[in-house]
Amino acid sequence: METKKLCIALYTGSVDKLTAAGVILSGAAADDMKVDIYVLLQGARAFRKDVGDNPDKLQMAENPDMKEEFLQSLKNLKVKTWVEFFKEAKAITDVKIHICGLAGKVWGADKLDDFIDLADDICGIGAYITAAQEADVNLFI
């Protein structure tokens, strides 16, 4: 059976949508899919080392006034953080995380070392377009 490919354009830098991306990524990993994630604009800020898994530095995209309730509920349910979801998926299946070079520069990060250890490389948008064309499933989050 041929391995299915998932391509995600991860535009968001909000904790709720990053968590949703982590849940989707876990499902893809459980289904043994090959995953390419292209981190764009606000997403690149979330992947900076000084932001990463610190919810105090991330906003909510939906219902921003409910951020504390959302985070407490995740904690009560023992739900992983978005970074933990991503790390676990990388350990299970073939997941590559590509940071958009322009997005990194927008947030003052232009070297791979500027990002959390999940990032595999920095690339241009052409790499995303090619991956999206070749994927079985393409999501924009």
Side-chain angles (χ1 to χ4, degrees), residues 12-15 18 42-59 67 82-83 107 109 114-116:
T12 190
S14 67
V15 68
L18 288 164
Q42 295 291 332
R45 180 184 171 277
F47 274 78
R48 282 185 10 184
K49 280 185 177 174
D50 63 330
V51 178
D53 216 5
N54 183 346
D56 292 338
K57 295 190 173 187
L58 300 172
Q59 300 297 317
K67 179 180 173 185
W82 74 270
V83 171
W107 298 109
D114 294 330
F115 299 97
I116 56 178

Side-chain angles (χ1 to χ4, degrees), residues 3-74:
T3 301
K4 297 287 186 181
K5 295 179 183 177
L6 170 64
C7 181
I8 299 175
L10 189 62
Y11 166 82
T12 190
S14 67
V15 68
D16 50 339
K17 290 187 177 184
L18 288 164
T19 302
V23 172
I24 292 168
L25 185 54
S26 290
D31 207 24
D32 201 28
M33 295 180 82
K34 179 183 183 304
V35 182
D36 281 298
I37 300 173
Y38 290 85
V39 181
L40 310 173
L41 295 176
Q42 295 291 332
R45 180 184 171 277
F47 274 78
R48 282 185 10 184
K49 280 185 177 174
D50 63 330
V51 178
D53 216 5
N54 183 346
D56 292 338
K57 295 190 173 187
L58 300 172
Q59 300 297 317
M60 290 272 288
E62 303 289 331
N63 301 312
D65 55 326
M66 299 180 74
K67 179 180 173 185
E68 292 308 314
E69 182 179 338
F70 174 75
L71 293 174
Q72 187 60 50
S73 184
L74 292 178

